[in-house]
Amino acid sequence: SSKQSSLTSFFKKM
Amino acid sequence: MFEARLVQGSLMKKFMEAIKDLVKEANWDCTGTGISLQAMDTSHVSLVSLLLRSDGFDPYRCDRNISLGINMESMAKIMKCASNDDVITIRSEDHPDNVTFVFESPNQEKVCDYEMKLMDIDSEHLGIPDTEYDAIISMPASEFQRICRDLSNIGDSVKITCNKDGVQFSAQGDTGIGKIALKQNAVIDKEDGQVSIELNDPVSLTFALRYLTFFTKATPLASTVTLSVSAKNPVAVEYRVDDIGYIRYYLAPKIEE
């Protein structure tokens, strides 16, 4: 099965 | 003060439809460059980023940079009150508590004025890194919408596979498997209706159809959509809107456990 990743693990807060 | 008059007011209605199901509230940042917005959905899986350039408005005036904190559902309700051929003006003071939307009929015989309260929104701006994408796929926006709709009948996720043969969208569910393959058309010039693929490396990634379907609400804004994919990275889904700007969505991939 696959798990939904979070966008915040790719794009960092500025 | 801030004032932006959009002759083709229907565009604002379409932009609203393209974000309201994804984002509950967001700041519309108004500067000399234009109006921009960046916001994530509540589960932080996707992000929408849009730009309406100042030269797309007539006139456009922004004396001071301001952020208009807006509840999308409320704004969408107001935008529904505008007719498709209305001219839409957005107006506010330099330190606004309210924003005013004015809808003028083409012959100016009817003028509607809606004032909406603004909110204080703590927005977290995300830095989107420059990515070398493995594949950039351009296709008719309506075709992408159709694929998302059709595969949603089969499963929750779509696997996008791009290689030298073309691009394949596939979904799997309890009832079976669905696969849609698109070949690249000969690209002489990028006319509507063509599928073009810029391939650096073969790539295969899985995404939640629920979010891609939200993105396809932008279909009325553009004839073409561009999907930029890179292994283990979010997909960028872009709709370029003639003469004014773009709406871009990012979606984090599903990762094998």
Side-chain angles (χ1 to χ4, degrees):
Chain A
S1 77
S2 57
K3 190 181 164 218
Q4 177 64 59
S5 60
S6 167
L7 203 62
T8 46
S9 56
F10 299 98
F11 299 165
K12 299 296 170 210
K13 282 179 197 170
M14 277 175 29
Chain B
M1 73 175 289
F2 171 75
E3 188 170 63
R5 181 174 175 271
L6 186 61
V7 174
Q8 204 185 332
S10 59
L11 277 180
M12 188 53 80
K13 287 166 70 79
K14 290 176 186 170
F15 271 106
M16 212 53 232
E17 288 302 306
I19 49 181
K20 75 169 171 56
D21 294 335
L22 204 60
V23 175
K24 274 194 165 9
E25 47 195 46
N27 284 316
W28 293 74
D29 297 315
C30 309
T31 69
T33 314
I35 305 174
S36 62
L37 175 150
Q38 195 207 77
M40 276 190 286
D41 71 284
T42 47
S43 53
H44 292 191
V45 167
S46 69
L47 178 140
V48 57
S49 165
L50 68 82
L51 174 67
L52 307 170
R53 287 190 313 271
S54 55
D55 61 10
F57 295 89
D58 183 25
Y60 183 90
R61 177 181 163 186
C62 184
D63 297 341
R64 198 196 134 87
N65 293 354
I66 52 166
S67 283
L68 305 175
I70 284 179
N71 175 290
M72 292 300 155
E73 204 183 326
S74 308
M75 183 169 165
K77 279 182 186 164
I78 291 176
M79 283 299 147
K80 282 206 169 131
C81 302
S83 300
N84 279 328
D85 53 359
D86 279 355
V87 175
I88 295 182
T89 301
I90 305 169
R91 189 183 296 144
S92 83
E93 302 302 323
D94 282 348
H95 300 281
D97 296 317
N98 297 298
V99 59
T100 301
F101 300 104
V102 183
F103 308 146
E104 293 168 82
S105 65
N107 55 17
Q108 298 194 318
E109 282 171 350
K110 182 180 173 188
V111 179
C112 309
D113 206 295
Y114 292 90
E115 196 175 286
M116 192 177 89
K117 282 184 195 148
L118 294 173
M119 314 168 65
D120 247 339
I121 298 170
D122 255 344
S123 67
E124 359 176 79
H125 228 71
L126 294 182
I128 300 162
D130 282 331
T131 310
E132 287 262 337
Y133 287 105
D134 292 333
I136 300 173
I137 305 147
S138 295
M139 68 169 80
S142 56
E143 186 59 56
F144 180 58
Q145 185 179 41
R146 175 78 196 265
I147 290 169
C148 291
R149 197 184 67 202
D150 291 350
L151 292 182
S152 295
N153 293 315
I154 308 298
D156 298 335
S157 305
V158 60
K159 187 172 174 186
I160 303 176
T161 305
C162 198
N163 55 35
K164 62 178 176 39
D165 298 324
V167 57
Q168 180 181 269
F169 299 85
S170 61
Q172 198 169 343
D174 297 338
T175 54
I177 298 172
K179 289 180 187 170
I180 300 166
L182 297 178
K183 284 198 179 123
Q184 174 161 213
N185 296 353
V187 180
I188 298 154
D189 53 9
K190 280 192 179 179
E191 280 179 49
D192 293 351
Q194 289 197 323
V195 177
S196 79
I197 300 167
E198 207 182 300
L199 185 72
N200 292 321
D201 258 317
V203 63
S204 187
L205 275 164
T206 303
F207 298 99
L209 274 165
R210 171 183 151 78
Y211 289 92
L212 293 178
T213 302
F214 282 142
F215 303 170
T216 62
K217 305 272 168 149
T219 306
L221 281 166
S223 55
T224 302
V225 63
T226 304
L227 313 180
S228 302
V229 282
S230 213
K232 295 177 185 166
N233 267 302
V235 60
V237 179
E238 184 183 57
Y239 297 83
R240 283 193 170 274
V241 186
D242 288 344
D243 303 324
I244 193 152
Y246 62 79
I247 184 161
R248 224 175 260 160
Y249 303 91
Y250 297 88
L251 175 61
K254 285 190 155 188
I255 291 170
E256 292 295 326
E257 281 185 300

